Amino acid sequence: MNQTTTATILLIALIAATLLLSTAETAKAENTIRITADGTITGTNLIHRQGNIYTFTSNIENTHGITIEADNIQINGANYTLKGTETETGITITYKTNITITNLQITNYFYGIVLDGSINCNIHENTLKNRVCGIWL
């Protein structure tokens, strides 16, 4: 096999892998997803916890969004989407400390993220496309 043929096969394999990864399924969650004060995740099995880091493992469609009840956590969206139905809030953080949200696409909520009375929170490298606003402080 010559170098051109090998390069072509590798390019086709790379394109196929990219297409498979970019068409992730969206799973529906019926109830509010919660990260409770003790760090437990309720309402979905599509967020993986390792210590204080919570990582999305798929796109999630959920009318009621996610409520953060714990301090000192990081949410890594892993470039997945949290999709609503143009009502409610994508992620609600009320009176919490040291919350980080990265690499998440939040779409189709009334508000993408609501931060109420919370301090030392970092929100970066996210995409927010919502009905009223992306982040409500």
Side-chain angles (χ1 to χ4, degrees):
M1 207 180 307
N2 66 31
Q3 285 183 320
T4 303
T5 303
T6 303
T8 302
I9 291 170
L10 288 173
L11 181 60
I12 291 170
L14 180 61
I15 291 170
T18 301
L19 290 173
L20 286 173
L21 291 174
S22 67
T23 58
E25 294 291 322
T26 298
K28 291 188 179 187
E30 298 299 323
N31 298 312
T32 300
I33 297 168
R34 296 185 188 285
I35 298 176
T36 64
D38 69 0
T40 304
I41 305 164
T42 64
T44 187
N45 62 352
L46 300 174
I47 299 174
H48 172 75
R49 176 185 181 192
Q50 184 170 359
N52 68 339
I53 300 172
Y54 296 79
T55 305
F56 275 54
T57 59
S58 180
N59 294 319
I60 299 173
E61 187 172 333
N62 182 317
T63 300
H64 305 292
I66 300 173
T67 299
I68 307 298
E69 299 171 352
D71 293 306
N72 304 308
I73 67 167
Q74 299 174 31
I75 297 175
N76 179 355
N79 294 314
Y80 286 111
T81 299
L82 176 63
K83 182 180 179 184
T85 57
E86 297 188 3
T87 62
E88 307 215 18
T89 299
I91 298 179
T92 303
I93 305 166
T94 305
Y95 297 106
K96 297 297 154 211
T97 303
N98 197 28
I99 307 296
T100 299
I101 301 171
T102 59
N103 302 315
L104 182 60
Q105 298 177 46
I106 303 174
T107 62
N108 292 358
Y109 284 97
F110 199 75
Y111 300 108
I113 299 172
V114 170
L115 284 163
D116 182 18
S118 297
I119 58 173
N120 197 29
C121 295
N122 297 291
I123 300 170
H124 57 93
E125 300 178 39
N126 299 287
T127 301
L128 303 147
K129 297 178 184 176
N130 296 285
R131 189 169 165 210
V132 172
C133 73
I135 302 172
W136 183 269
L137 302 172

